[in-house]
Structure formats: C-alpha cells, structure tokens
Amino acid sequence: MIEWINFIYLLSAVLFMLGLKKLSSPATARAGNNLSMLGMALAIGATLLSPEITTYRMILVGVGIGAVIGGVSAVRVQMTAMPEMVALFNGCGGAASALVALAEFQAAGNAFTPFSMVTLLLSVIVGALTFTGSVIAFAKLQGLVPSRPVCYPGQQLINALILVATAALGVAVYRDPANTMGFFYLIIAISLVLGVLAVIPIGGADMPVIISLLNSYSGVAVAMTGFALQNNCLIVVGSLVGASGIILTKIMCDAMNRSLANVLFGAFGAGDAAVSGEGAEGGGPQGTVKGYELEDVATVLENSASLIIVPGYGMAAAQAQHAVRELGDILGERGVEVRYAIHPVAGRMPGHMNVLLAEADVSYDVLYAMEDINDEFSETDVVLVIGANDVVNPAAKTNPASPIYGMPVLNVDEARTVVVLKRSMNPGFAGIENELFLKENTMMLFGDAKKSVQGLVATLKG
Amino acid sequence: MDSAILIGLYIFVLALFAGAELIAKVPPTLHTPLMSGSNAISGIAILGALVVAGESLTLKGNTVVGVLAVAFATVNVVGGYMVTDRMLQMFKKKK
C-alpha cells in the first residue's frame, strides 16, 4: 500500500512539473494549471487511503473550513488586490508546514534522528516566519499598517540577537528533544515575531521582492517538512516552489539594480519622506512642470502614429485598467499603433500590470517586457505614462547621485512626446524627484488616473 | 548518513535544477499566475496534515494541530488554484 501511495506521489510530482512547463505560454497556461490541480487531487486522494488514517471526521472539518475561506476569497478578490491575496495564501502554506512539523515533534517524543530533528526545526522556524511575514506584507499592501519602512534604532541588532537566540534554543531542543517542549514552543513564538520584524522595515515599492522571497520561504518550509516526514512529494514540491521564488526574487532585485541584502535591510525610501511636494524648488532638477488640459492631450494622442502606454502602480490604485483599454481601442481604431511597455517591478508583485491589463481584455501580444521594447521608444511618437514614476526616471541613467542610479528604466524620455498622468507632483514611492516631468517634451496631466483616462476617452469620442 | 536521507537530498537537488529550468522559461507576463500557482502547490503540506488530523479516533492535542494544519493548507490549495485559474482565463489573444 505504502509503495502504491508513493508511486502516485511520483505521478503527482510529474504533473506539477508539466503544469509549470505549460506556464511557458499564455496559450497553454490554463491547461497547465489544470494538470497541476490533477496532481494535487491524486496526491490528496492517495494520502486519504493511507492506513495511518483511521477517521475522516476531523479531516472533513479542516478541509471544509479551508475550502470555504480559500474559495470565497479567490472568487471575491479584485485583480488589483492580487498581491495581498497571494501573500495571504502564501502565509497559510507556511503556517501549514509549521503546524505539521509541530505535530510531528509532539507525536514522536524523542525518537528523532539528528537529521529529522534539524529539518523539523527549520520547517517550524521558516514556516512560522513566512506566516507572520506574509500577514504583514498583506497588511502593508492593504494600508492597514504604514507601507513606508518602519524603522527604530538598533533594528538590525535586535533582529540579529533574536536570530542567535532562536539558534541557541534550537541547539537545546536538538540535544534533548524529550524534555524541551517548552523551548520548542518558544522557538515558534520567536519565529512568529521575527517574521513581523523582518517585513516592517521594507517599503511598499519593494513588495515585489518580498512577496517573491516569502514565496520561496514557503517552498523551503515544505521541503524541510518533507525531509522530516520522509515524504518525497513534499521534497519535490518544496524544491520547485523554492526555486520559483528565488528566481523571481532575483529578477526583481536585478530590475531595481539592488542586492537582496539592500532590499531587506536598506529601508529604501524611509529617509526621503520630506522631499518637496510642490514643483521642483530648491536643489532639485531644473525646469518647469507644464500642466495641460484633456483637450491638448487628446489632440496629441489622436495625431500620433505610434503610442506606447506605460502603466504603473497608480493605474492599479485608481482601478484604471478598463478605461485604459478603452482608450487603446479607440486610438487603435483610428490607426494609431498601440503597445504597452511593462517594467518588471511595475506594481506590487511580479506581473501585476499584465494581470490587470489581461483582466481589462488587452491582448497579451501587445504587452511588451522592458528588454523587448526599450529600443523602440526613440522611434515612437507618444508615450503615455499612467501612474508610473521611478521606473521611467531618466536620472537612473544619467545622475550618479540619484538613489536609483543604475536601475534599468524604460527609455520613455527618448520618445517625441511624453504624456504623464499623475495624481500630484508628490514624489513616487521611493521618494525621489523625477526630472522626466520637467523635460521640454513632457506634458503633465494631473488628476486621478481613471478620471483622466475616462476624460480622454470622452474627449476623443467628442 | 542513512540511505533514505540521501535519496531525499538527491531528489531535493535534482528537483531544484529541474524547477529552475522550467521557471526560467515562464514569460514575465505570467509571473503573477506563476506565483499564485506555485503557491497553490506549496499547500502540498496538506499530505502531512491529513495524516495528523486523521490518525486518532480520540481527540488529542495533536488532532487540533492537525485540523488547523489541514485548514491552512486547504486555504492555500483551493484559494491558490482558483485564483490562478481566474487569472489565466483572462489572458487572451485578440485579432
């Protein structure tokens, strides 16, 4: 029986891999997700037949509660809130791994090999901090706690001391598991606190990195649980998820030209909160901001041959994606070539903008990644920047003194005309001034992104 | 080191490489579904949770931990797959 169950686990692992493989194209991705679901169903079904399970009563309770919460949230969540949702689901995965490891520890008494003891401890620690870290990321994205970095003196020292204390407790439990149950609970409590402390100093604009990293942590926690339970299916999945999270983390860090350590400990954007809000007085870049009316912008758009739309978090915040698609359609009908350029860290999670535009029915073949479209800005009539700021800041290319110097940015300033839709002149999330707004060929259109785009649509239909 | 551990390590390392190859081929446009989808499969901890929740006929302390674990893992699995499917069905190519 056990052999058969393990054989089915192998089938599941293959289905998970095939599912990921089919994610290589939007055309096959949905089928891939179905394969992955099938793999999960097989693995769960096989486990339910396991001779160790004697009653389904409590299982049904747990599955019932979880399915209702998960299902209802998945159906209700708005696409703009996807980063929060993914963070929360991810936290649940971390919690599940930690709880399974806890149960295993309670059940086994002192019958541990050193290896299973170490993996159990790692599973509990990583699982617990993934849980609270994800909850804090969720709260930051929802605005329940300040999304600016929360800092206090000695922050890193305190975190380091906590980490040392956790390790010391871990060693004590490792040496004498039968008599250190209290220490084990203490480790869980400390790990939960550590998850909170690790995420609060990270700013909202760095969320794509943190969500990716937490994703990989939940994979690590599952893999460690797999080692402790000697369940190869958990090990395979843990590897896949861990790899996925790490790769995305690296892509996000590269897209900001920052190291992971800098994201985790740099408290980026914390000190610059007081940068001038109105115009560019003082030592900032020289030039004047030129505000325009809807009619001016509509005329420019209408008379262009090529347009590249650059969406940012502001589009998500204003729920403007449907209006943007409508604008694109109208201009497309009038012979304008409309494309979209998407920076890897636009939004609050990897691929955030793509999902929103897909929701609004924008064809995925007009969505271009930065490296595929960056050379084309110089031959483009108009660029429409909607709620993006740092990812289009030319200072990243030209000003070595800028905090974002060296970050790969979209070359929007090379287009003939740049139209920027912006709520106000407040600096972006990183708190950095943007000289793009002051350039000769830049037209600013102030106001809520959704209202502005709807206004443009109305004017064009006029 | 006993052989089960060694086999587990082999699986871990080889799956890491396979995963890295597969995921490197996912285009940026699908990075959000990739996250939520890989998130859903990380709910695989449910396999361990089911055994804990179902192994005892009497209600022990561990059973409560097991039920909690099943609930958390189910949120992850059900929510993760459903939300991924919801997103993927929106990705369309228009003429």
Side-chain angles (χ1 to χ4, degrees):
Chain A
M1 192 66 206
I2 299 293
E3 285 74 20
W4 278 108
I5 292 175
N6 274 312
F7 181 73
I8 293 181
Y9 285 171
L10 174 62
L11 284 182
S12 299
V14 170
L15 287 167
F16 292 143
M17 298 239 196
L18 286 175
L20 280 177
K21 192 171 158 59
K22 283 184 179 289
L23 264 182
S24 59
S25 155
T28 55
R30 200 171 175 205
N33 192 46
N34 290 339
L35 284 183
S36 179
M37 276 191 231
L38 178 65
M40 183 62 77
L42 281 177
I44 291 174
T47 307
L48 288 174
L49 296 176
S50 143
E52 292 164 272
I53 295 182
T54 52
T55 167
Y56 293 118
R57 204 165 20 132
M58 295 318 286
I59 291 178
L60 283 172
V61 173
V63 169
I65 297 171
V68 169
I69 297 176
V72 170
S73 349
V75 172
R76 289 218 176 145
V77 64
Q78 292 209 319
M79 286 299 149
T80 42
M82 203 48 79
E84 294 92 299
M85 194 76 261
V86 170
L88 215 51
F89 286 156
N90 192 46
C92 289
S97 296
L99 287 167
V100 171
L102 167 65
E104 183 70 9
F105 183 83
Q106 287 178 334
N110 56 358
F112 288 107
T113 64
F115 186 77
S116 66
M117 193 66 235
V118 170
T119 50
L120 264 187
L121 282 167
L122 285 174
S123 169
V124 164
I125 295 170
V126 179
L129 76 84
T130 303
F131 176 59
T132 47
S134 300
V135 170
I136 295 297
F138 166 82
K140 280 198 173 235
L141 289 161
Q142 280 274 304
L144 302 173
V145 299
S147 65
R148 284 208 168 269
V150 177
C151 302
Y152 46 85
Q155 195 162 25
Q156 284 166 36
L157 183 69
I158 291 171
N159 288 357
L161 287 176
I162 291 176
L163 211 56
V164 171
T166 315
L169 287 168
V171 171
V173 174
Y174 174 82
R175 287 199 171 150
D176 184 13
N179 299 308
T180 49
M181 205 60 221
F183 283 3
F184 195 82
Y185 293 129
L186 198 56
I187 289 177
I188 297 179
I190 293 177
S191 306
L192 290 171
V193 174
L194 198 58
V196 174
L197 296 182
V199 177
I200 50 167
I202 293 164
D206 288 344
M207 280 299 150
V209 180
I210 271 315
I211 293 184
S212 308
L213 191 64
L214 288 168
N215 197 31
S216 99
Y217 284 176
S218 74
V220 171
V222 166
M224 291 305 136
T225 310
F227 278 118
L229 304 181
Q230 301 208 340
N231 183 324
N232 292 335
C233 195
L234 264 64
I235 297 177
V236 171
V237 167
S239 295
L240 293 178
V241 178
S244 153
I246 283 293
I247 290 175
L248 289 173
T249 307
K250 182 162 181 345
I251 294 174
M252 295 300 112
C253 285
D254 289 350
M256 298 196 296
N257 189 36
R258 288 162 60 202
S259 68
L260 182 57
N262 180 276
V263 174
L264 294 180
F265 308 118
F268 203 65
D272 300 327
V275 180
S276 68
E278 289 299 317
E281 287 96 8
Q286 298 301 306
T288 45
V289 173
K290 295 174 290 297
Y292 287 81
E293 299 301 318
L294 283 173
E295 290 74 18
D296 308 323
V297 174
T299 311
V300 168
L301 290 176
E302 208 170 17
N303 293 320
S304 66
S306 51
L307 169 72
I308 297 179
I309 299 178
V310 177
Y313 181 65
M315 182 185 81
Q319 301 267 9
Q321 65 271 28
H322 297 278
V324 170
R325 195 258 309 150
E326 206 185 345
L327 179 66
D329 283 354
I330 289 177
L331 291 169
E333 283 162 18
R334 300 192 184 176
V336 183
E337 185 202 14
V338 181
R339 290 178 292 175
Y340 293 79
I342 296 167
H343 193 280
V345 294
R348 289 292 178 265
M349 78 183 292
H352 193 188
M353 294 298 117
N354 306 73
V355 166
L356 293 183
L357 291 168
E359 183 200 13
D361 248 352
V362 175
S363 176
Y364 62 75
D365 56 355
V366 295
L367 308 181
Y368 288 83
M370 177 165 61
E371 65 268 25
D372 296 328
I373 201 165
N374 232 2
D375 293 336
E376 316 228 347
F377 282 104
S378 53
E379 281 144 40
T380 300
D381 286 339
V382 183
V383 170
L384 183 60
V385 178
I386 304 174
N389 190 345
D390 297 330
V391 299
V392 295
N393 192 339
K397 296 184 286 185
T398 55
N399 178 7
S402 169
I404 57 167
Y405 182 67
M407 167 175 166
V409 289
L410 293 162
N411 296 326
V412 298
D413 54 318
E414 292 174 6
R416 256 151 248 148
T417 307
V418 183
V419 177
V420 179
L421 304 193
K422 206 169 173 343
R423 212 170 41 228
S424 69
M425 267 314 285
N426 288 327
F429 234 99
I432 301 157
E433 299 228 28
N434 194 336
E435 63 194 56
L436 175 73
F437 306 152
L438 312 172
K439 288 189 68 133
E440 201 54 46
N441 59 342
T442 300
M443 303 169 75
M444 302 294 294
L445 182 58
F446 290 108
D448 173 75
K450 189 175 175 180
K451 288 208 183 82
S452 297
V453 177
Q454 284 171 336
L456 288 172
V457 169
T459 314
L460 284 169
K461 278 180 174 169
Chain B
M1 200 184 282
D2 79 66
S3 64
I5 295 173
L6 210 54
I7 291 171
L9 284 173
Y10 264 90
I11 293 171
F12 183 68
V13 174
L14 293 177
L16 267 181
F17 277 98
E21 286 300 317
L22 289 171
I23 288 142
K25 294 203 175 70
V26 177
T29 200
L30 291 178
H31 276 168
T32 297
L34 167 65
M35 287 198 82
S36 65
S38 63
N39 208 325
I41 61 172
S42 77
I44 193 81
I46 195 171
L47 301 189
L50 290 172
V51 173
V52 181
E55 69 191 343
S56 164
L57 283 167
T58 54
L59 205 62
K60 296 186 302 183
N62 236 1
T63 314
V64 178
V65 176
V67 172
L68 266 178
V70 170
F72 272 117
T74 308
V75 171
N76 195 193
V77 170
V78 172
Y81 277 125
M82 284 177 68
V83 98
T84 308
D85 189 61
R86 231 186 104 192
M87 283 190 275
L88 289 175
Q89 66 179 341
M90 302 182 319
F91 280 88
K92 287 185 216 98
K93 194 167 175 174
K94 287 191 299 188
K95 280 278 133 16

